[in-house]
Amino acid sequence: MDEQATSPRPDDRCPDITVDDILDQDSKPVPPEVRDDEWRDLGTDAVAAERYTGDAFFEAERTKMWPNVWQFAAREEEMPEPGDHVVYNNVGRSYILVRQENGSIRAFHNVCLHRGRKLRLESGHASELQCPFHGFTWNNDGSLKQIPCQWDFQHLEERDMNLPELRVGRWAGFIFVTESDAAPELADFLAPLPDKFARWRLEECYTALWVGKVIKANWKAVSEAFMEAWHSVVTHPQILPYTGDANTRYSIWGDHANLALTPFGMPSPHLRDEKLSEEEIMEAFDQTSGRSASAGGRKLAKGKTARQSMAEANREQFLEALGYDSSDATDSEMLDAFTYNVFPNMAPWGGFAPNIVYRWRPWPDQHATLMEVRILGRKPKNGDMPEAAEMRFLEEHEPWATVEEWGALGGVFDQDMENLPYVQEGLIASPNNRVELGKYQESRIRHFHQTMDKYIAGELP
């Protein structure tokens, strides 16, 4: 699948109104970071179904892609003090990230260099890294501290016994690791996201809620369910009164970053004949959205649209109540779904409202995925950073709606997850080994696969 030159979006799109038209009507001027946009025509080639099901492709991912990319491994607030550490596992690898005395973070392969046992099974705090098997011990900087019965290991050079180290990158409160010495610097890998996210200051945020569940589908199929919005008309009909699903603007940058910007506070183009009132739009948002500050307790402001009223409610609760100036926070940044993707398995939302962060990992192979959803809350401006919530692991029988803290959002996730095991079963049974994608609305999925192909072919990093 070859990338094509940058080109205009298709003219035969569903909506009568564009995202720029919506932004033009907002109550505050929209900054260039939100207006800035880029899309590429990536063609219309089908994707092979075996990419989601085959052992050979999964092995190519494991050996040629995963070791060479930057992976989101932790948030800063998970490990605030020296000696705090986070264990991150993925596709058979295990890493341990450790906060150093000077505040920096180092990452090591979580493997004892004696007999191979994992040094740590869980995140936590330790003054040293000691293997529970025989007691080989390392300092938190990875240097060797002690070998029990040292007399029996005279053949080992101390310098060769330091824990193998990974590169660490930090951005907006997120901590990344990579095994690759050839990978670009993290800022270059993420570009242009650091510039776009700067005004949203996610480093001021903390993990307020964190939920994970194993989904019986390939990690790519699960992540792709969050790369396009047009499934909402069938999968999420309850959100259509306030979601411009088919108005979504898709943007693509470089190899590793893309965006679906879905406007809220306006009806779906699929409901254009229903003539919903502004009051009906606002009521639906309050009752079925996970991003509403008013929770049904606020009326439509006089002379304002539902979108403007809802943005004002969010501005007051999510910024002003915490001591932040909201004067330049636009309606779009307080409401809309800025669903960015960072290749290969992370999706941080932009904007000023509580930010959602998705992460997907094979669990343990190509037929299942650990899907994680974090909600980032903003700390009080003059307060300390709250402790990070620990991940709540949902068992197979527990729906996402079990998590009462995120209100209606859990029901939306349940609707998505209900599809995915059947997607996997269908891919396994595919009679023609083809997955057909829309040229525009599913262009982010095609972008993802084209980047994957570059890693497997050795073209990246």
Side-chain angles (χ1 to χ4, degrees):
M1 294 180 285
D2 296 328
E3 293 184 359
Q4 307 298 317
T6 300
S7 66
R9 288 173 169 73
D11 293 328
D12 55 348
R13 287 190 290 153
C14 176
D16 298 321
I17 184 172
T18 69
V19 166
D20 279 334
D21 293 333
I22 297 166
L23 299 180
D24 287 341
Q25 299 171 27
D26 280 355
S27 63
K28 295 177 182 289
V30 176
E33 297 94 324
V34 177
R35 294 277 192 184
D36 184 29
D37 181 28
E38 183 177 317
W39 182 77
R40 299 200 300 275
D41 183 344
L42 301 179
T44 57
D45 288 352
V47 172
E50 64 187 3
R51 296 169 76 97
Y52 304 85
T53 63
D55 292 340
F57 194 84
F58 183 72
E59 180 64 11
E61 291 178 357
R62 188 186 69 81
T63 59
K64 298 180 180 180
M65 187 273 289
W66 285 111
N68 293 308
V69 296
W70 284 99
Q71 299 182 50
F72 162 44
R75 284 277 305 173
E76 296 275 359
E77 66 274 9
E78 292 179 65
M79 43 191 310
E81 302 296 332
D84 289 348
H85 57 267
V86 169
V87 173
Y88 173 68
N89 300 308
N90 192 19
V91 287
R93 300 284 201 181
S94 185
Y95 311 126
I96 184 167
L97 290 71
V98 187
R99 178 79 68 178
Q100 304 296 301
E101 289 293 335
N102 64 1
S104 66
I105 295 170
R106 300 180 74 168
F108 312 100
H109 288 266
N110 184 24
V111 178
C112 177
L113 299 182
H114 172 220
R115 295 270 289 277
R117 189 197 192 280
K118 285 185 177 180
L119 295 171
R120 287 286 183 274
L121 300 183
E122 296 179 346
S123 303
H125 179 90
S127 59
E128 61 187 15
L129 302 175
Q130 184 176 79
C131 178
F133 197 178
H134 294 88
F136 274 61
T137 305
W138 286 265
N139 297 303
N140 280 337
D141 64 1
S143 61
L144 180 66
K145 182 176 183 179
Q146 179 187 9
I147 296 179
C149 293
Q150 173 72 49
W151 59 267
D152 204 21
F153 292 90
Q154 298 298 318
H155 54 285
L156 295 180
E157 296 287 343
E158 184 173 327
R159 65 178 178 273
D160 295 331
M161 290 297 289
N162 291 338
L163 293 177
E165 195 163 356
L166 295 86
R167 293 171 63 192
V168 173
R170 299 160 74 177
W171 164 67
F174 299 102
I175 306 168
F176 292 76
V177 297
T178 182
E179 293 188 23
S180 173
D181 292 331
E185 293 299 315
L186 179 61
D188 296 328
F189 184 93
L190 296 172
L193 268 57
D195 290 338
K196 292 184 176 298
F197 273 74
R199 63 183 272 109
W200 299 323
R201 306 185 304 275
L202 265 61
E203 63 274 9
E204 297 173 348
C205 298
Y206 67 99
T207 302
L209 182 64
W210 182 7
V211 182
K213 186 175 182 178
V214 175
I215 309 301
K216 293 183 178 180
N218 182 269
W219 70 277
K220 298 184 293 298
V222 178
S223 66
E224 289 164 12
F226 299 85
M227 291 188 194
E228 46 83 10
W230 73 290
H231 68 276
S232 299
V233 66
V234 173
T235 302
H236 309 302
Q238 79 278 13
I239 74 172
L240 297 185
Y242 61 84
T243 302
D245 57 338
N247 299 105
T248 298
R249 186 177 75 189
Y250 298 92
S251 303
I252 294 171
W253 300 281
D255 289 310
H256 303 115
N258 55 51
L259 165 68
L261 174 52
T262 303
F264 288 157
M266 54 172 292
S268 164
H270 299 289
L271 302 184
R272 69 185 71 187
D273 295 330
E274 295 194 16
K275 310 297 184 186
L276 293 174
S277 69
E278 296 296 313
E279 289 82 0
E280 289 173 320
I281 295 170
M282 189 165 180
E283 181 180 4
F285 183 77
D286 286 342
Q287 292 180 352
T288 64
S289 167
R291 293 172 68 78
S292 172
S294 55
R298 181 179 293 267
K299 301 296 183 181
L300 183 70
K302 185 176 180 179
K304 292 188 176 181
T305 64
R307 179 175 169 86
Q308 292 168 347
S309 295
M310 288 149 41
E312 185 59 30
N314 283 3
R315 207 175 278 119
E316 292 175 6
Q317 179 165 322
F318 299 139
L319 288 177
E320 295 169 11
L322 297 172
Y324 295 95
D325 179 12
S326 69
S327 58
D328 69 342
T330 66
D331 298 349
S332 178
E333 294 169 297
M334 298 309 309
L335 282 181
D336 295 339
F338 288 80
T339 311
Y340 288 86
N341 261 25
V342 175
F343 184 89
N345 67 325
M346 175 196 184
W349 283 36
F352 286 111
N355 298 79
I356 299 172
V357 182
Y358 303 123
R359 181 169 64 182
W360 302 277
R361 288 181 273 174
W363 207 263
D365 57 23
Q366 68 268 38
H367 298 298
T369 300
L370 175 61
M371 176 173 175
E372 300 167 69
V373 182
R374 294 183 191 231
I375 305 295
L376 300 186
R378 197 169 297 271
K379 79 173 187 67
K381 183 174 182 180
N382 297 319
D384 295 332
M385 183 68 74
E387 291 184 9
E390 295 184 1
M391 187 177 76
R392 175 177 174 181
F393 192 92
L394 297 178
E395 300 295 337
E396 183 175 355
H397 67 277
E398 293 182 286
W400 293 85
T402 302
V403 183
E404 297 179 355
E405 293 92 325
W406 54 25
L409 194 58
V412 176
F413 292 143
D414 282 323
Q415 290 171 323
D416 285 313
M417 297 307 112
E418 184 177 357
N419 288 322
L420 293 168
Y422 301 110
V423 169
Q424 188 69 12
E425 290 179 14
L427 290 167
I428 292 171
S430 175
N432 64 358
N433 191 33
R434 292 171 67 87
V435 174
E436 302 290 355
L437 300 172
K439 182 175 183 179
Y440 179 64
Q441 293 185 101
E442 293 172 315
S443 57
R444 294 209 303 163
I445 299 175
R446 186 171 279 109
H447 180 228
F448 170 88
H449 283 279
Q450 290 184 358
T451 297
M452 176 77 75
D453 286 344
K454 290 180 181 180
Y455 276 97
I456 291 175
E459 299 172 14
L460 291 174

